[in-house]
């Protein structure tokens, strides 16, 4: 920054520091008398540990009568009544730049390998408003994700937002890794929210791999961290994706999982006194989801194509978070446990999955082929019980006979090994051959 610019900013600088004192701590909620601050501001709590002073970073999440309610970004050990609370006067900001591509950072933007941030990075706020709806260009170009069932039957556009709905252990992380390695997007931004500590390194080394990591920024907030850190992990990751979008890049954004963000917000809501509503989720949960999910998509500079995983309780696709997210996003992929048990990976249930933009992105021949395969699959599955018990006699229905003949080849088409690299054109041409000739290989 030039000297003249610095001089002009001097009158706007606030040199007054504002302080308060901790009154009490209940669970993860810290209540203090002062300082003067606003919702979302970052504060520093001064504590003494082993005869050394240190500061605990916290955020203002609410007010109660004359008291300020804070939630910490880290553990709250050593906080005592009367600990000094210093207001920063601004919300959380992180440092970001091209130098961080290929690295793993935490919710506060710090490298998790203990290294020092490079110099010359830009400061960006983690909480930003979604783009103006009238400035969002329409999505008219498809994006290659490198997964045959998606590219052919559930075509995704640049800037589209898709939910991946599944129970635990059905292959969400593996599917995200396949997309990150095979997509032709300019950069990947991957948020691992509420993951087990063991799974983070496994995802980076096994699912993502060196090839995927070298064009990715990974933001991680594990399940053992405070609720506010998990929420901030989602907002920080979205801010990173927005940073690269504003540079004109086509960003692939993946979050695993938005359900754990909702659970973390529920913890914060209950701590500040919100009444529990649907299945214990507080009203703020349903307010924060559209605010977070609408930030991705297109703007006048670039695009963010987003995949959000949703962990459904007991494979119930209509539970509150799944139902809310499905209504916000531009499509959904349903991973079916029954298909996974049969060895079909990725276990995408084509008939239950929808891409709301496919009709606008696919050519006529492509759409006709996809509709035919869906129809054949539907006919077979509707008659599957009769076929399996031997109650159906061949020749009774021409449509069912054709579906029985096609079914093994359709299942073979829908399967893909995790290390297979398939282009979008290859996937579409294979689908057209399958629909026309009955053989896609």
């Amino acid at each position: 920054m030039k000297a003249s610019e610095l001089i002009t900013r001097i009158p706007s600088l606030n040199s007054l520091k504002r302080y308060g004192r901790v009154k009490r701590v209940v669970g993860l909620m810290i209540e203090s008398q002062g300082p003067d601050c606003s919702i979302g501001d970052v504060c520093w709590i001064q504590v003494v540990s082993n005869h050394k002073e240190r500061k605990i970073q916290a955020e203002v999440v609410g007010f109660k009568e004359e008291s300020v309610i804070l939630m910490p970004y880290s553990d709250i050990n050593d906080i005592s009544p009367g600990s000094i609370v210093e207001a920063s006067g601004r919300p959380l900001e992180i440092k970001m730049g091209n130098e961080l591509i290929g690295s793993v950072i935490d919710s506060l933007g710090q490298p998790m390998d203990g290294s020092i941030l490079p110099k010359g990075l830009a400061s960006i706020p983690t909480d930003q408003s979604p783009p103006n709806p009238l400035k969002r260009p329409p999505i008219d170009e498809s994006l290659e994700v490198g997964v045959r069932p998606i590219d052919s039957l559930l075509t995704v556009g640049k800037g589209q937002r898709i939910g991946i709905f599944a129970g635990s252990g059905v292959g969400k992380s593996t599917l995200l890794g396949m997309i990150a390695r095979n997509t032709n997007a300019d950069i990947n931004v991957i948020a691992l929210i509420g993951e087990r500590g063991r799974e983070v390194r496994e995802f980076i080394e096994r699912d993502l791999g060196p090839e995927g990591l070298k064009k990715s920024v990974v933001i991680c907030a594990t399940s053992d961290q405070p609720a506010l850190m998990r929420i901030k992990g989602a907002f920080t990751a979205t801010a990173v994706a927005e940073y690269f979008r504003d540079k004109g890049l086509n960003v692939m954004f993946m979050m695993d999982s938005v359900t754990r963000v909702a659970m973390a917000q529920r913890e914060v809501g209950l701590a500040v006194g919100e009444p529990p509503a649907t299945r214990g989720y507080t009203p703020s949960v349903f307010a924060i989801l559209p605010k977070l999910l609408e930030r991705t998509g297109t703007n006048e500079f670039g695009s963010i194509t987003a995949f959000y995983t949703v962990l459904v309780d007991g494979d119930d696709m209509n539970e509150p978070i799944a139902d809310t997210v499905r209504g916000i996003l531009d499509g959904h992929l349903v991973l079916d446990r029954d298909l996974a048990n049969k060895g079909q990976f990725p276990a995408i249930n084509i008939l239950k999955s929808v891409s709301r933009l496919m009709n606008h992105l696919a050519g006529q021949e492509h759409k006709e082929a996809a509709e035919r395969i869906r129809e054949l699959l539907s006919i077979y599955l509707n008659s599957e019980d009769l076929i399996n018990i031997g109650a159906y006699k061949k020749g009774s229905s021409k449509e069912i006979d054709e579906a029985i003949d096609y079914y093994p080849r359709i299942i073979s088409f829908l399967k893909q090994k995790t290390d297979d690299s398939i282009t979008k054109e290859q996937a579409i041409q294979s689908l057209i051959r399958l629909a026309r000739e009955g053989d896609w290989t």
Side-chain angles (χ1 to χ4, degrees):
M1 188 176 288
K2 295 180 181 179
S4 58
E5 294 177 351
L6 289 173
I7 292 171
T8 57
R9 290 183 60 184
I10 288 175
S12 64
L13 295 176
N14 185 4
S15 59
L16 180 65
K17 289 189 176 182
R18 292 159 292 175
Y19 295 96
R21 288 188 178 276
V22 172
K23 288 174 58 179
R24 64 172 184 165
V25 176
V26 179
L28 290 178
M29 184 187 72
I30 303 164
E31 194 174 317
S32 71
Q33 187 69 44
D36 292 337
C37 51
S38 303
I39 293 286
D41 283 358
V42 173
C43 294
W44 299 93
I45 303 172
Q46 300 177 10
V47 299
V48 178
S49 175
N50 296 325
H51 305 291
K52 292 182 180 179
E53 288 189 0
R54 66 184 180 97
K55 293 183 177 181
I56 294 174
Q57 203 170 1
E59 182 176 310
V60 179
V61 295
F63 303 99
K64 186 177 181 181
E65 297 177 352
E66 300 298 322
S67 299
V68 177
I69 299 175
L70 303 157
M71 294 286 281
Y73 289 137
S74 58
D75 63 77
I76 57 175
N77 295 338
D78 305 315
I79 292 180
S80 59
S83 293
I84 294 175
V85 181
E86 179 185 344
S88 69
R90 60 180 184 272
L92 179 67
E93 293 184 344
I94 61 167
K95 298 287 187 179
M96 184 47 55
N98 292 339
E99 296 83 357
L100 288 179
I101 296 175
S103 61
V104 182
I105 61 175
D106 64 15
S107 302
L108 305 180
Q110 298 298 317
M112 294 194 69
D113 59 3
S115 60
I116 300 174
L117 285 171
K119 294 182 179 179
L121 300 178
S123 293
I124 57 173
T126 60
D127 196 355
Q128 302 183 46
S129 299
N132 186 323
L134 296 182
K135 293 185 179 180
R136 287 185 184 264
I139 299 171
D140 54 11
E141 185 180 352
S142 61
L143 177 75
E144 180 178 305
V145 300
V147 180
R148 187 166 49 231
I150 299 176
D151 281 333
S152 59
L153 291 162
L154 299 160
T155 305
V156 173
K158 290 182 180 178
Q160 188 171 351
R161 300 161 305 142
I162 297 285
I164 301 176
F165 294 76
S168 57
V170 187
K172 298 186 300 297
S173 298
T174 303
L175 180 58
L176 291 182
M178 290 174 66
I179 294 171
R181 290 193 306 273
N182 298 332
T183 181
N184 63 354
D186 298 320
I187 185 171
N188 300 315
V189 177
I190 303 170
L192 302 177
I193 309 300
E195 290 286 337
R196 305 175 188 89
R198 171 186 62 81
E199 290 182 333
V200 173
R201 186 166 180 177
E202 286 184 5
F203 175 83
I204 293 169
E205 294 182 357
R206 184 185 63 194
D207 295 329
L208 188 58
E211 183 181 348
L213 182 60
K214 69 183 180 183
K215 65 169 186 175
S216 304
V217 179
V218 180
I219 298 87
C220 179
T222 53
S223 59
D224 60 291
Q225 293 180 331
L228 197 60
M229 280 289 276
R230 284 173 269 148
I231 297 170
K232 284 300 169 184
F235 280 83
T236 295
T238 307
V240 171
E242 290 169 329
Y243 170 83
F244 289 109
R245 176 181 63 186
D246 291 344
K247 285 181 167 291
L249 299 181
N250 173 31
V251 182
M252 174 62 74
F253 179 70
M254 288 171 276
M255 183 183 292
D256 185 15
S257 71
V258 70
T259 305
R260 294 191 175 106
V261 178
M263 290 178 174
Q265 180 61 36
R266 177 173 61 184
E267 288 182 42
V268 173
L270 292 173
V272 299
E274 278 191 85
T278 311
R279 292 202 186 177
Y281 288 102
T282 57
S284 63
V285 174
F286 302 100
I288 198 177
L289 286 175
K291 184 180 177 183
L292 175 66
L293 302 180
E294 287 288 351
R295 286 172 60 180
T296 54
T298 59
N299 71 356
E300 60 266 42
F301 304 110
S303 67
I304 301 174
T305 307
F307 284 86
Y308 297 95
T309 68
V310 180
L311 183 64
V312 292
D313 291 334
D315 294 333
D316 177 13
M317 298 297 168
N318 295 315
E319 59 97 22
I321 300 304
D323 204 37
T324 302
V325 171
R326 187 166 51 241
I328 298 171
L329 299 181
D330 307 317
H332 53 273
L333 308 178
V334 176
L335 303 190
D336 196 317
R337 190 177 301 277
D338 290 337
L339 297 180
N341 292 339
K342 293 176 182 177
Q344 180 181 325
F345 291 101
I348 301 172
N349 189 319
I350 297 298
L351 299 181
K352 292 183 180 179
S353 303
V354 173
S355 172
R356 293 179 180 169
L357 295 177
M358 181 173 175
N359 286 336
H360 303 288
L361 301 170
Q364 187 62 31
E365 190 178 27
H366 179 190
K367 285 191 288 187
E368 289 175 356
E371 288 169 4
R372 174 162 168 74
I373 296 304
R374 281 177 171 271
E375 183 182 10
L376 288 167
L377 192 58
S378 177
I379 291 171
Y380 180 87
L381 293 177
N382 286 336
S383 308
E384 188 175 24
D385 290 339
L386 293 175
I387 295 167
N388 289 339
I389 65 175
Y392 174 75
K393 292 183 179 180
K394 188 175 182 181
S396 301
S397 169
K398 183 180 177 181
E399 291 181 341
I400 297 177
D401 288 343
E402 189 178 25
I404 293 171
D405 182 49
Y406 266 83
Y407 184 72
R409 282 170 278 184
I410 294 174
I411 297 302
S412 176
F413 173 81
L414 296 176
K415 289 182 180 181
Q416 182 177 331
K417 295 180 180 178
T418 56
D419 54 354
D420 283 352
S421 181
I422 298 167
T423 66
K424 181 182 66 177
E425 286 303 317
Q426 288 174 336
I428 294 172
Q429 291 305 316
S430 296
L431 176 72
I432 292 171
R433 285 199 305 272
L434 177 62
R436 282 183 176 177
E437 306 165 12
D439 187 10
W440 63 273
T441 55

